[in-house]
Amino acid sequence: MVTRLKMTKFSTSKLGIRDILDIGPESFSEINPQDEEDLPWTFLRRLMALNNSARNPHFKEVVENPEEDIYGDFDDEEECLNEPVHPYDILCCVLHSSDHFLQQEIIIKMATCQFAVPLLLPDGHGLGCTLMLWAMRNIVKRWSTLTLAESRRFIEKNLVEISMPVFSFVKLGKNKLSKSKILNYILSQSHQFNNFFLHEDMEGGNVQRKLSNGLVEITWYFPIGRESSDIFPEPIAVANLRGDVKSSLTQFRFLSRVSSAVFVFFENITDSDYKFLSSGEKPEETLFFVISSSGDRSVDKEKLNYLKKLNITQKNAIRRDKSSNETQIVKKLQYMINNFIKNSCKRVKLEDMSGEAIELGIKVDEVNKECQKAKQRAIEITQEIGNVVEYKGRTMKLQGPLWKELSQLEKEFCRMKKQGSKNAEEYRCYLKKRHSELYQEQHKHNLPEGMEKFLSAMTQLSCTEKQYFLKWMKFMLDSLSRDNLSSLHSKYQEEYSRGANTELKQIDQLISESSLGVEHFLRELGQFYESECSLVKEKKIKPNQRKFSKLPKIAADLLMNGFPLELVDGDASNIPLQWVTDILNELDTKTGNKWKMRVITVLGVQSTGKSTLLNTMFGLQFSVSSGRCTRGAFMTLIKVKETFQAELGCEFILVIDTEGLKAPELASLEDSYEHDNELATLVVGLSDITIINMAMENIVEMRDTMQIVAHAFLRMKETGKKPVCQFIHHNCSDVSTHEKNMRDRVKLLEQLNEMTKVAAKMERKSGVTAFSDIMTYDHEKANWYIPGLWHGVPPMASINTGYSENAYLLKARLFELLKGNTIVQRPQTIGELIIWIKSLWNAVKHEKFIFAFKNSLVAEAYDQLSIKYSGWEWNFRKKIHHWFSNAETEIKNLTDKDLKPETCTSLKAKISEIIQTEELNMLKLIENYYKQENGNVHLIERYREEFLGSVKCLRQELDNSVFNRIDEIIYFKKSKNQLQSIQSKYQKIMEDKITGLVEQCRKQKRGQGDQAMKGMFENMWKKTISGFPKSQIEKRNISQEMLGQLIKDMDHKGAVINEKLLNVKCLSDYSKKTFQMDKNYISANWNPVTILKEFFTSSSYYKIEELGASLVRRCGDYVAEKIRTQDGYDVTYCHELLNIINKRFRDEDVIDLPITHLFELDIKLVILGSASVRFQVKHNKFVEDNDPLPCLERLKPHYLANFTNTFLFETKPFQSKAKYFCDFCLKPALVEYINKHLGKAIIDHTVESGSFKEFSSKRHFQFAMLKKLLEERDFGQYLEYINRYERFVKTWIARDFIKEFCKRLNNELIISKNNIHVILFQMKEDIQQFSPALQQYLGETEKQIVANIKGTSFESVLSKVPLNPVESLLKSASGNDHKEHRASSHRPKGLAKCTWKLGGSLAISICSTDIDTDLFFSTQMEESSDYWKFILKEFNRQFADAYVAETAKLPEDWKDTTVEDALKSLEETFYMK
């Protein structure tokens, strides 16, 4: 049979639980067996899903020939060629092929389905059998007797420990009366029938057995304590031997010894039967006979003779003749069994049967070396346990009050709710110190003996022994917990009846603490590990002194083997983060750091069957009995088969089971709703699919659940995660439920919308009005109606087929969702799961979801897009810069004739089209980026509009910038053209004079070197110049023009301001003044609270001072940018300066500052005063450079050289002309070209060289900068960074990141027409003679340019380039918002000049937090980072001296902060680990 079913390969390498639970396509696709080898697997899959059809996994019958001859011969003996397989043969084959742990799982599932289970399993080759004691160890039963029911009490025990009568039923020879069918009737109530035993009238029951003859099955009856419905008043066991008893003598002997009575079914008795019955295997008083009539009188008569010889009386025999039916037989048997029970018959425990079995040579499954060794280890631990509460207090001290106080401290450290009037940092230091003390106190405890034994077993036992050990521990601990709880419940009822409220509270507390399982031992080890890790971090113990470093590896092995591990400690409502993350890290290491996962979680009200549903769908082992509901959250792994990994996209599924929401034991607690919200937020945040369990009959609980769920999903919208939600409505069994509940689903959606609005209001989130705003919800496909688990009343109820079938359909839907595109986020790695656990729990502790949720995955995803965006933005800017450079060259090379009015319009139209094309291209790139499946883009969905908006802002910026520059260049070009026209006219006159002079000299034959010739040139030049008008350009008074614009800008600010402006005679008088803060800049119109706050902190004073300084810097940068251009002054420059200042005053962070108009006037006077002087210099230089007469005077030496060379170098005049061309035409053009393209080339080089990452995002940039500062530890640099951030950054970029200049030059040059004219003047030689001379001087010109650049400071070089690389890289590194700097890591206020006025010392409270008293509103509390703690500690005196204050009074723990702590803090702040 084993060969036939193709299970021979499992005869040595047994099937394990993981082989059955691993996820594959067959796990959720209902496939009927196609051939015999499918039968065992179909049986197992159905059984794991608690499907009642598991025992009959046969092929669907197909009637191939409906016209078959019904008159053919009946041949009962002829064996059909395609004879099917008996279900019990399949069962025996599967059990023989399974290891002991899978056998145990099979038996518990069979018992749950109310199937009879194997008691004695035949070996299959007729040589013996095995008592399946270990396989039944996991079965727990709960019942009540009539006496107990009166007080509404019950008994719950492990099945093998229950002492009960056993009634065995065997068959002798052939019998028309079905023994198994009769037994089913005996054990079933009329209204609740169960097929405990398979019989011939059931599917597959009439098939000939090949492997299962000699199988002894056993089942039980348990009463509920109702006389009207109980068949038997106490539990009984019923054993059923399969096959003829004569063929299974060993089994019969065993049953005879352990049974209260043995019932033999027979129809005929032969001599051999007589000999067998008279052999004395069973005492006559416990041997009973059920005799059926054969229908043959002679045979029946002979049968009666044999009965007389056996001394069988009417008392121990039941006859079935023609006058009686099966019902009467059942009644008589039930009566006889009840009589046995009343007469105190023999009772036996299943675990005590092993002695009898061994005596008879029957093997016992748990009698093996590994199992017994593990059992002994477990006994050594559990025998010390009497009272569970006392034992936990004695042996598990770390997870008691110490751990609970630590958990409360962690949340208080984040929330600061009990701070009162204490200084925030000092209170934090107190909490931190207490936190450390608690860990030290934990670490002082030695490992108790019980924990030592547990740890010893976990480290020393083999893998199989360890599995046995954990099972034994579970059985024994569950048993102890049940006994303790039973006693406490009884005591509770007694005290309740007496009305003793005080005692009730004490007992209630004891009940909640009386749970004891393996998870408590692991939790205690986790606490030892946590405390040790904490002390290692604090350097109180050395790493080589660690004792528990290998614990995470042990726990990771358990998780790999399917053992549920605690994620959230439900007793302390906390996550031992170090313990959990290190376990997951070990798991990651074991799986090669490559495994990806999907996460499925369940939420719901307590006792709605969450654990049962998960166990049913996935065959898991979450605790569902033992009187212990799930507390906290547990996680378990299910591996995905290799053949299915590609389709599912992951290697395993992580399933998280949670404690029930709205738990009665937590209802009285003030923060119970908060506790539920925290748990829901965590598990929803971790999950890909969240199952919401609800009981339809409890509308109030449904509503409460909806509100908690709405909060959790609203928060997840902010994190970027979008788990799929499936609502499970339990206890809905009507076939029309889905259709009838259409209205209910609509109502549910209305409730969800209502709860979402409430949650959004509580979370201060605007714009959320419906559940669909926070997740995709299809009310048709996301709601499941599942019947109740039990068909009837437990403990004798069978599994409801509808439950298992609907659970199966739900499972199929879940995997359909996982395979499809419904889930936004991609499968996560273990490393990413760790990050999510840390960040979500940190956010839970801080209560800061809507305000500031972020983790390294979000930061990395944002950075990846920022890097891409920076590249796209630079390409955009580069194209526009390249076009504009060409356009500028084109404009500057145009003559006055070519510079037409439509030139400007045409250029603007071209660039507008290019900008629009590039904008659309960039928008498309962003949209395509969000469509990709990798990179965690779903986490930054909320930033999509930010990036799209940045593109539009960029387009607007470039539009305005280029259009203004085109107008500006054309304006100045027109002015220059007019001047150049005059200059050209002057040059023509002068050249005519020089030509005449040359001719005159030649006629007079004056020789070379004649000084008189130079004198004649000087006379001619002076005479000609005197005939030209003196000046063609009017010099402007820039200071007065700008003052006039300022007066217009401030004319609505009041009489005092106007009066002061009238007293300003010259704006340039303010050029040497620097901005100095004045108390008159602060408005006195404050409320008392603000005045008091300012008195203590001077925060507004320093903010206004910094505002003034930043405006001076920003406007100075604008002026410097304009100075770099070679054009004159434009009136728009002053307008733009005023616009920069006015726009800054309208920003949110400035508009609420108490600023007076006097501050606005003074800051504008300082800025415009300084600018007016620089613009005046620029204007004067423009006049000097472009006035025709000075320009002509500058050409005089060249004309003189030209004149003299005519006579000195008559043979080779082109050599001097070539030199002149290189020096005065080509060299200036090359220098201008270099300046124009140098900025772009530097940025391109920075990007291509790999240095760009530091500038690709604000996060990378600030991290690199602060790390460099930490390495150098220069106080002056820190002072500059804190108080003059932008100036510091620009200097830092120029100093540390830009390493070399552009190395290539193109040929797009702007060469002065007037200078070229000088060269061509008097040049009559062939141009081909000029070229060699020109090449001779080109190399020299290049060397001169390179030497000049090398000999010039970098700042001087950058001051001449129109596209400043420092400014461009700073824009890239500042992020998309381009707002004022805000530190990502919180620093003490004292670093920014903040002092306490009462003491005059530097403040240590952080930038984002003000005094937290009832008088002041406080923003989200945070702690100063260790980075800035270290800096203030290191430079406390220097900062105090610089700010003219007393040194800060540092908390004690700040003094212990090291440079390593500072660097670690920096890495954590910027997610750089």
Side-chain angles (χ1 to χ4, degrees), residues 599-664:
V599 183
I600 298 174
T601 61
V602 65
L603 276 175
V605 176
Q606 185 171 298
S607 299
T608 51
K610 299 179 298 300
S611 304
T612 303
L613 181 63
L614 293 177
N615 291 349
T616 303
M617 285 196 295
F618 302 109
L620 303 177
Q621 300 176 54
F622 289 120
S623 178
V624 293
S625 62
S626 309
R628 300 188 296 115
C629 285
T630 305
R631 293 295 304 274
F634 285 80
M635 55 185 176
T636 194
L637 282 177
I638 312 173
K639 195 174 183 306
V640 178
K641 293 181 179 179
E642 289 185 13
T643 54
F644 195 48
Q645 288 174 4
E647 190 173 350
L648 208 55
C650 60
E651 282 74 24
F652 60 85
I653 307 292
L654 184 73
V655 181
I656 300 177
D657 185 23
T658 62
E659 72 174 83
L661 306 175
K662 308 297 294 177

Side-chain angles (χ1 to χ4, degrees), residues 833-849:
L833 176 69
I834 292 169
I835 292 169
W836 276 110
I837 291 172
K838 285 182 175 179
S839 54
L840 282 166
W841 192 244
N842 187 55
V844 163
K845 289 191 294 185
H846 279 91
E847 301 176 317
K848 62 169 189 180
F849 276 89

Side-chain angles (χ1 to χ4, degrees), residues 772-796:
S772 58
D773 290 336
I774 58 177
M775 71 166 290
T776 304
Y777 174 69
D778 184 339
H779 66 82
E780 283 295 316
K781 294 183 179 180
N783 286 278
W784 294 81
Y785 299 92
I786 296 182
L789 173 65
W790 301 110
H791 180 68
V793 181
M796 296 309 295

Side-chain angles (χ1 to χ4, degrees), residues 372 453 715:
Q372 292 305 306
K453 290 176 179 177
R715 289 168 169 180

Side-chain angles (χ1 to χ4, degrees), residues 223-392:
I224 59 174
R226 293 179 193 166
E227 190 173 6
S228 60
S229 58
D230 285 344
I231 300 171
F232 307 109
E234 63 178 73
I236 67 165
V238 174
N240 183 18
L241 173 63
R242 292 289 175 173
D244 193 337
V245 67
K246 296 199 302 289
S247 302
S248 307
L249 292 178
T250 303
Q251 290 91 321
F252 181 66
R253 292 191 185 103
F254 173 78
L255 292 175
S256 298
R257 292 189 182 191
V258 301
S259 300
S260 300
V262 177
F263 293 86
V264 181
F265 280 59
F266 67 87
E267 189 173 300
N268 297 317
I269 297 181
T270 63
D271 287 337
S272 60
D273 297 333
Y274 172 75
K275 289 177 182 177
F276 170 75
L277 292 173
S278 59
S279 61
E281 292 294 337
K282 183 71 177 171
E284 294 178 2
E285 63 271 15
T286 57
L287 188 62
F288 294 84
F289 297 91
V290 179
I291 308 162
S292 299
S293 173
S294 65
D296 187 330
R297 286 192 174 185
S298 61
V299 173
D300 288 344
K301 186 175 181 181
E302 184 179 354
K303 180 170 48 181
L304 290 173
N305 291 330
Y306 279 122
L307 291 175
K308 288 177 183 178
K309 291 180 183 180
L310 291 168
N311 295 321
I312 296 175
T313 63
Q314 191 172 358
K315 185 177 64 173
N316 55 356
I318 299 174
R319 287 183 60 183
R320 184 198 177 190
D321 50 29
K322 293 179 180 179
S323 62
S324 59
N325 57 23
E326 290 180 352
T327 304
Q328 290 173 321
I329 298 294
V330 169
K331 294 282 186 184
K332 289 178 181 179
L333 286 169
Q334 287 175 341
Y335 176 78
M336 292 177 73
I337 292 170
N338 273 312
N339 272 340
F340 269 103
I341 295 170
K342 288 176 184 176
N343 294 325
S344 302
C345 63
K346 177 181 179 179
R347 287 166 174 78
V348 66
K349 296 179 182 178
L350 280 173
E351 62 183 2
D352 292 339
M353 294 181 183
S354 59
E356 300 287 352
I358 292 170
E359 281 186 22
L360 293 169
I362 297 172
K363 290 177 283 189
V364 180
D365 57 356
E366 66 180 36
V367 179
N368 64 73
K369 185 179 177 181
E370 293 168 320
C371 182
Q372 292 305 306
K373 182 178 178 181
K375 180 180 181 181
Q376 188 56 41
R377 293 269 193 154
I379 290 172
E380 288 174 6
I381 297 171
T382 56
Q383 68 184 2
E384 300 173 4
I385 306 172
N387 183 294
V388 170
V389 177
E390 289 178 3
Y391 179 80
K392 286 170 71 174

Side-chain angles (χ1 to χ4, degrees), residues 684 687-692 706 709-718 720-727 749 752-753 756 768-779 781-783 813 817 822-825:
V684 168
S687 65
D688 293 297
I689 297 178
T690 303
I691 299 169
I692 309 296
M706 289 301 97
V709 168
H711 272 281
F713 278 96
L714 178 64
R715 289 168 169 180
M716 287 314 103
K717 181 178 185 290
E718 295 303 310
K721 294 198 83 175
K722 291 185 179 179
V724 174
C725 185
Q726 297 289 296
F727 291 93
L749 181 57
L752 287 169
N753 289 338
T756 302
V768 177
T769 58
F771 191 59
S772 58
D773 290 336
I774 58 177
M775 71 166 290
T776 304
Y777 174 69
D778 184 339
H779 66 82
K781 294 183 179 180
N783 286 278
R813 174 59 179 163
L817 292 169
T822 310
I823 297 175
V824 176
Q825 58 263 25

Side-chain angles (χ1 to χ4, degrees), residues 101 461-468 561:
F101 305 103
L461 295 178
S462 68
C463 182
T464 304
E465 289 170 346
K466 199 182 298 180
Q467 284 184 279
Y468 276 117
N561 290 324

